[in-house]
Amino acid sequence: MSSFRPQSAILWPQVLGLTALQGGIALMWAIHGLYLPQILEQIGMPAQASLPLVVVEHGLAIALEPLLGGLSDRTQRRADSRFSFVTVGVIAASALFVAIPLLALVGNVNDVLRWFVLFVLVGWALAMTIFHSPSLALLRRYASGDGLPIANSLITLIVSLVSAPKLLFNQWLLGLGPAITFIVGALVLLGTAALLRAIDAPGISSSYGYKNTWPPYFLLTLTLIPVIGLGVGWGIRMEMDTISKTFQAHLPTVGLDWLIMAIAISIAILAIPAGLLASFWGTHRTLQLGFALAIVASVLMVFVPVQAVLYTGVIVLAIALSLISNGAFPFILALVPASRAGLGMGLYLGGVAASTSMFGAFLLKLEAQTATASMLMGAIAFLLAGLCVLAVPKSQAI
C-alpha cells in the first residue's frame, strides 16, 4: 500500500444519497436499452438501427465526459458545489426521457418527425453526460482515505442489482408500456437527485488528509487515466463475449441470459467484501489481482472447456470483475487533487465510453470471431490497464 495514507472518513447519509442517484441513472439506461429497438420500430426504422445510435451516443461522451467533469471542478472551486451540473442535467434528462415515448407515437408520420425523435434520443444521452462525471466526483467529497473503496462498493452494489435482473423483469416492464415506464424512470431520477441535494450542503467534505495540488508527473497520470478506462471497458466486454461463446460451444443447454444475470448478481453480492479488501489492501493491488484473475479464468475456460472448469471460471471471473469494479473509481479519484475529481472521473468515463462505442461499431465483426480471439482481446485489454496502473506512482494511490 501507499506510504501516504489519508485519514479515513465516510459521510454515510450523503454516500447513500449518491448511491440512490447512481441507481436511478442505471435504471434509466436499462429502460433505454430495453425499449430502444421498440421505439425505433415505432417510428418506422429497423431495430438494428439501435446499434449505430448507441455508437453515436457513447462516441459523443468520449469528449464530453472529461469536458463536463472539468467544468464542474471549476464550479466546485468557485461555488463549493457541483449541483448546478447535476440539477441542469437531471432536469433535462428527465424531460427528454418522458418526451421520447410521446414523440415516438407520431414519429412515423414523416421523415422530419422521425429524425426529430432520433435527435431527442441523442439529446437525452448528452443530458445524461452532463451530470455523470460531476455526480460521481461527489464520491470524493463524501469519502476519503480507506473509506473511499467502501463507499464506492455501495454504488457497485446498487448499479449491479438494478442492471442484473433483466430476464426477470423485462417482460413486466414491456407490459407497462413505454409511456409509464419512461415516466417512472424519470421520476426515480428526479427523486434521487432531489434527495441528494437535500442532504448535501456547501462546505461539507471528508477530504482532509489529501493534498490538493497536482502530484509529480501529472501529465503522465492524466494520459494513463483514459487508457485505464478503455482497457477496463473493453476487457469486460471481451470477457463476457468469451463466456457466451465458450458456453454456446460446450454447454449449449445453459441459458446465457440466466448466466449473465447470475454474474451481475454475484458482482453485487461481492461488492462489499471487495470494497473492504480494497480498503485494507490498496486499490492498486486490488485492481492488479482483478485483472490477473480475469485473464487466468478466461484462458482456462477457452483451453480447458470441461464443465467443472467452465463453472469455476465463471465464479472466478465474477470475483475478478467485482474487484475491478470496486477498485477503479477510488483508484482514479486518488490520482488527482480533490479539486480536480470531476476531470479525473471524466477522463476515466471517457475511456469507458470509447470502449462501448468501439464495441458497437465492430459488433458484427466481433460476433464472427472465435472465443479464443475474444479471450486474447480481453486479456490484452486488461494487461494494458494493469500496466497503466503499475505506471502510476504508488504514492498517489490508495
Side-chain angles (χ1 to χ4, degrees), residues 41-390:
E41 290 180 339
Q42 194 171 350
I43 64 175
M45 299 190 70
Q48 293 79 3
S50 61
L51 187 59
L53 190 61
V54 169
V55 171
V56 171
E57 290 173 345
H58 290 278
L60 292 172
I62 295 172
L64 289 177
E65 289 282 11
L67 173 63
L68 292 165
L71 290 175
S72 76
D73 289 335
R74 182 179 300 180
T75 303
Q76 174 70 42
R77 293 193 298 272
R78 290 179 177 177
D80 196 28
S81 177
R82 301 179 190 273
F83 267 93
S84 57
F85 283 83
V86 176
T87 301
V88 170
V90 165
I91 292 175
S94 299
L96 290 171
F97 203 60
V98 172
I100 289 170
L102 301 179
L103 291 171
L105 294 175
V106 295
N108 61 351
V109 174
N110 55 55
D111 288 338
V112 174
L113 288 174
R114 183 176 297 112
W115 282 103
F116 184 68
V117 174
L118 295 178
F119 176 80
V120 172
L121 282 165
V122 174
W124 170 78
L126 294 180
M128 295 290 284
T129 304
I130 291 174
F131 65 97
H132 194 197
S133 297
S135 66
L136 282 171
L138 290 170
L139 184 64
R140 184 67 169 74
R141 180 180 175 91
Y142 300 150
S144 66
D146 299 340
L148 192 54
I150 299 173
N152 177 68
S153 66
L154 295 180
I155 294 178
T156 302
L157 171 64
I158 191 65
V159 171
S160 298
L161 286 178
V162 171
S163 305
K166 293 180 179 179
L167 192 63
L168 297 177
F169 297 109
N170 273 3
Q171 292 304 315
W172 180 72
L173 289 173
L174 289 171
L176 291 177
I180 293 177
T181 306
F182 276 64
I183 290 173
V184 169
L187 290 176
V188 170
L189 184 69
L190 286 168
T192 54
L195 171 65
L196 181 59
R197 183 67 185 92
I199 59 180
D200 182 83
I204 68 167
S205 177
S206 66
S207 295
Y208 52 78
Y210 276 107
K211 297 178 181 179
N212 200 32
T213 57
W214 284 108
Y217 313 110
F218 71 92
L219 289 178
L220 172 63
T221 299
L222 294 182
T223 302
L224 293 174
I225 289 174
V227 180
I228 294 173
L230 176 63
V232 169
W234 188 260
I236 290 175
R237 282 166 177 78
M238 288 297 97
E239 296 294 356
M240 300 308 292
D241 190 56
T242 301
I243 288 177
S244 298
K245 289 174 178 175
T246 304
F247 270 80
Q248 283 178 338
H250 301 283
L251 292 175
T253 58
V254 175
L256 290 179
D257 289 337
W258 288 100
L259 183 63
I260 300 302
M261 184 180 72
I263 293 173
I265 293 176
S266 298
I267 292 172
I269 294 173
L270 294 168
I272 302 299
L276 291 171
L277 176 64
S279 175
F280 174 77
W281 205 32
T283 55
H284 59 293
R285 290 181 178 177
T286 301
L287 283 172
Q288 295 288 0
L289 177 60
F291 295 145
L293 288 177
I295 292 172
V296 170
S298 62
V299 169
L300 287 176
M301 284 191 291
V302 168
F303 291 110
V304 192
V306 298
Q307 182 171 334
V309 173
L310 290 178
Y311 283 117
T312 302
V314 168
I315 295 171
V316 173
L317 188 59
I319 295 172
L321 295 183
S322 188
L323 293 174
I324 294 169
S325 299
N326 285 283
F329 284 177
F331 180 81
I332 297 302
L333 287 172
L335 298 186
V336 296
S339 59
R340 298 296 192 277
L343 176 61
M345 287 308 308
L347 288 170
Y348 177 80
L349 294 173
V352 175
S355 71
T356 303
S357 186
M358 289 169 55
F359 186 78
F362 298 108
L363 181 60
L364 295 179
K365 292 183 179 180
L366 293 173
E367 286 180 342
Q369 72 182 12
T370 63
T372 302
S374 295
M375 178 272 295
L376 288 174
M377 293 179 70
I380 291 171
F382 280 147
L383 180 61
L384 175 63
L387 290 174
C388 290
V389 171
L390 280 175

